[in-house]
Amino acid sequence: MRMDDSVVAITGGASGLGAGVARRAMSQGARGVAILDVNDDLGHALVKELGSAATYVHCDVRNSDDVSAAIAHVESTFGALHLAVACAGIGWVERTIAKDGTPANLDGYRRVIEINLIGSYDFARHAASLMSKNEPGDSGERGAIVMTASLAAYDGQTGQVAYSASKEGLWA
Ligand SMILES: NC(=O)c1ccc[n+]([C@@H]2O[C@H](COP(=O)([O-])OP(=O)(O)OC[C@H]3O[C@@H](n4cnc5c(N)ncnc54)[C@H](O)[C@@H]3O)[C@@H](O)[C@H]2O)c1
């Protein structure tokens, strides 16, 4: 898809791959870039670097109200959304049982699934809803959504059971 005059929203956009997408989108002529993240310091610093076509929204993808409000902010600020990139994600390594046989803590597994998998899907559904208002382009598309999976989706390492499951879910 062409980036010029497009509006891009990126979860986990304050650092790493997400920040790279934000910088690339701006350099290729995006009209607006929305950084959605929980790291406010990095998010605000990136907006300062990118300039007035960028905006930062505090958005914890585990919180559906945050996600819906962030997409509403994109619409009120830029009037549309063309590319949504779900980069928010965390890693987690814990063996299913410890050496003494104690079962792993289920909270860690839940957290990874909530952020990496459910949070990405929640963002995608709200983004798709806003994109559905766009006029279709020549190929009929109204926008694009990118999910960030991982090689761990099908080749996870020891202790990556939650991370692999979350990324395999995105792959599916
Ligand atoms: N870096 C790699 O080599 C690699 C490889 C495969 C997949 N990935 C995936 O790419 C994505 C980005 O990875 P990265 O290396 O850039 O990591 P990163 O830690 O630099 O960036 C992740 C961002 O997500 C944000 N985040 C965390 N929890 C959040 C939440 N609940 N709501 C909103 N934002 C939240 C963090 O604040 C951070 O800015 C992740 O999904 C990761 O699993 C990375």
Side-chain angles (χ1 to χ4, degrees):
M1 92 176 271
R2 295 183 63 85
M3 206 56 77
D4 49 300
D5 206 33
S6 291
V7 177
V8 184
I10 311 154
T11 67
S15 83
L17 297 179
V21 171
R23 291 188 179 100
R24 177 64 68 92
M26 289 301 293
S27 72
Q28 291 190 345
R31 172 158 59 86
V33 172
I35 314 288
L36 283 49
D37 209 298
V38 290
N39 191 325
D40 298 343
D41 289 344
L42 283 183
H44 287 302
L46 185 57
V47 164
K48 202 170 170 192
E49 172 194 326
L50 295 177
S52 59
T55 184
Y56 172 73
V57 189
H58 179 94
C59 172
D60 185 335
V61 296
R62 289 173 296 178
N63 182 337
S64 199
D65 289 342
D66 272 14
V67 175
S68 140
I71 294 295
H73 176 79
V74 170
E75 183 173 24
S76 63
T77 305
F78 301 115
L81 175 62
H82 305 99
L83 173 63
V85 183
C87 262
I90 58 165
W92 181 260
V93 178
E94 185 175 16
R95 289 171 183 259
T96 303
I97 56 167
K99 286 200 171 128
D100 67 0
T102 309
N105 185 339
L106 204 50
D107 291 345
Y109 190 98
R110 273 206 184 93
R111 187 156 179 267
V112 172
I113 297 294
E114 280 175 6
I115 294 175
N116 295 9
L117 181 58
I118 300 173
S120 295
Y121 177 67
D122 194 22
F123 172 63
R125 75 190 180 104
H126 284 291
S129 175
L130 179 53
M131 286 175 188
S132 71
K133 300 178 184 177
N134 295 341
E135 286 299 320
D138 293 343
S139 59
E141 76 170 28
R142 290 182 161 82
I145 297 174
V146 177
M147 301 292 210
T148 311
S150 165
L151 277 177
Y154 49 90
D155 191 15
Q157 296 173 358
T158 304
Q160 278 193 319
V161 59
Y163 186 75
S164 292
S166 71
K167 296 303 186 180
E168 174 64 32
L170 291 178
W171 193 262

